[in-house]
Amino acid sequence: MRSIFALLLITGLFKLAFSEEGYCSAPSAEAKSKPLYWKVDNPTLAPIHLKDLPGFTRSVYKSSYALISPESHVYGPLPDWSDTTGAYLISPEMGSHFIMYLAKLKDNSRSGLPLPGVERFIFVLQGTVTVTNATGVSQLLKVDSYAYFPPNFDHSIEADALGTIVVFERRYSSLPNHIPEPLVGSTDKQPLLETPGEIFELRKLIPTSLAYDFNIHIMDFQPGEFLNVKEVHYNQHGLLLLEGQGIYRLGDSWYPVQAGDVIWMAPFIPQWYAALGKTRTRYLIYKDANRSPLSL
């Protein structure tokens, strides 16, 4: 009974928030003019909508998954970063073997380095950042761009204005004769890949070669589309919903989700997604790759 009440309450809140923004109509001209991924920091059901519900959160933590919604994000200084605040959203304390965090940058922000043996992937959500390697070569990353840094690779991430990035880090699992290379790219430059038996659109941001022990996928669903496979597998996931809204099945529970939500999925947790609303869903998802489960 308690879980039914909670689902009805959440559904009602979504309806309220969506009705305020024309959820049942086509996207407004104002919404179309907004920057890409603007709803990650400005979700439809925002913390302000919950101000009259003290103690309420959509966030859920279980032994095999977690849903962390924006009203639960706790920001603080990031170790060895300057003028930057971060919110750790996935970490080994919950059972993962990687960390995922949001970093909010401003004028004069500068990153620290990962721990020894740790690789790093960043994806720009707002603003622009500059990445520089040890030889002084710099590249400007805009929204929807990303960079991968192998373990023990000297680099910096800097900003001269407000910006937000999502960061993944994990201890690299090496293979003999396979050395990962640093990467810089953007989503729109990656080809659409075949998805046999599925209808969503898939892009992979990291090469599929054995040198890399994880990948980052960008997955797009049009309204009403859903995963055909009810997945159960050994891979862990860390997911950030970039656009849209829908329903995510995690284990035996079903959760309304929206842009700005983060999900951690442990190995072998049943998982499934369906896109709702009038606009596409796009999410970014971490996935283990190219390694035996015995090496993880």
Side-chain angles (χ1 to χ4, degrees), residues 106-139:
K106 55 184 178 181
D107 189 20
N108 296 321
S109 288
R110 182 182 174 90
S111 68
L113 289 172
L115 294 173
V118 171
E119 56 194 329
R120 170 184 281 170
F121 177 93
I122 68 168
F123 185 91
V124 182
L125 300 171
Q126 287 191 343
T128 59
V129 302
T130 300
V131 297
T132 305
N133 64 21
T135 64
V137 176
S138 297
Q139 291 179 276

Side-chain angles (χ1 to χ4, degrees), residues 13-24 44-45 48-49:
L13 287 168
F14 266 78
K15 287 180 178 177
L16 173 62
F18 293 150
S19 64
E20 290 176 353
E21 298 195 2
Y23 175 73
C24 294
T44 299
L45 182 60
I48 192 172
H49 292 113

